[in-house]
């Protein structure tokens, strides 16, 4: 079974940085896509960033472009999300997800069939 475990969340002031990690296990992830999503209270889940496991191609939501960076370590089967210049509106539970995702559909959560439990990110003003 595929297991995804997020870590690195916490409380940070606006303008600060956090680095989230997602540890993946239970499968050979070549050919898979890893995505980061977030959900704030009262809001729908939204796409943040994604990366293809083999090629390392990245995708970002417009709201985080230039501030967030997604990366992967194939040897450790981990995917990180470096978050800089954090804003209060970045406050949410962040989830990592993976699956065999068409490159044109990386922003659609329904395309991912494995999800982690999430990690809380809170940005204070």
């Amino acid at each position: 079974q595929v297991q995804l475990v997020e870590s690195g969340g916490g409380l940070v002031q606006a303008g600060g940085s956090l680095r989230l990690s997602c540890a993946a296990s239970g499968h050979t992830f070549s050919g898979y896509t890893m995505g980061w999503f977030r959900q704030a209270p009262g809001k729908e889940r939204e796409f943040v960033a994604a990366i293809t496991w083999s090629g390392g191609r990245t995708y970002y939501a417009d709201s985080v472009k230039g501030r967030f960076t997604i990366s992967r370590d194939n040897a450790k089967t981990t995917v990180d999300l470096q978050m800089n210049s954090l804003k209060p509106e970045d406050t949410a539970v962040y989830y990592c997800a993976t699956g065999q995702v068409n490159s044109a559909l990386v922003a659609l959560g329904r395309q991912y069939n494995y999800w982690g439990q999430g990690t809380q990110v809170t940005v204070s003003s």
Side-chain angles (χ1 to χ4, degrees):
Q1 295 183 356
V2 172
Q3 291 186 329
L4 305 175
V5 180
E6 302 96 335
S7 62
L11 175 65
V12 66
Q13 292 183 330
S17 299
L18 283 174
R19 189 176 183 90
L20 306 182
S21 293
C22 177
S25 62
H27 192 71
T28 300
F29 293 94
S30 59
Y32 274 54
T33 297
M34 179 68 72
W36 283 97
F37 294 78
R38 66 188 183 187
Q39 187 165 24
K43 295 186 177 181
E44 296 182 357
R45 180 182 62 195
E46 67 173 341
F47 169 76
V48 177
I51 188 168
T52 61
W53 207 272
S54 296
R57 187 168 186 172
T58 58
Y59 308 83
Y60 296 96
D62 289 342
S63 60
V64 305
K65 285 181 180 177
R67 299 189 298 122
F68 291 10
T69 302
I70 189 170
S71 61
R72 89 269 196 248
D73 185 334
N74 288 48
K76 297 173 63 177
T77 59
T78 58
V79 175
D80 290 353
L81 184 69
Q82 178 66 45
M83 306 185 294
N84 298 326
S85 302
L86 283 162
K87 306 174 181 179
E89 50 262 44
D90 295 318
T91 295
V93 177
Y94 284 70
Y95 301 90
C96 64
T98 192
Q100 295 176 323
V101 180
N102 187 289
S103 62
L105 304 174
V106 294
L108 303 181
R110 64 187 300 175
Q111 299 298 309
Y112 299 77
N113 57 340
Y114 300 103
W115 293 81
Q117 293 299 116
T119 186
Q120 177 71 48
V121 172
T122 303
V123 184
S124 64
S125 60

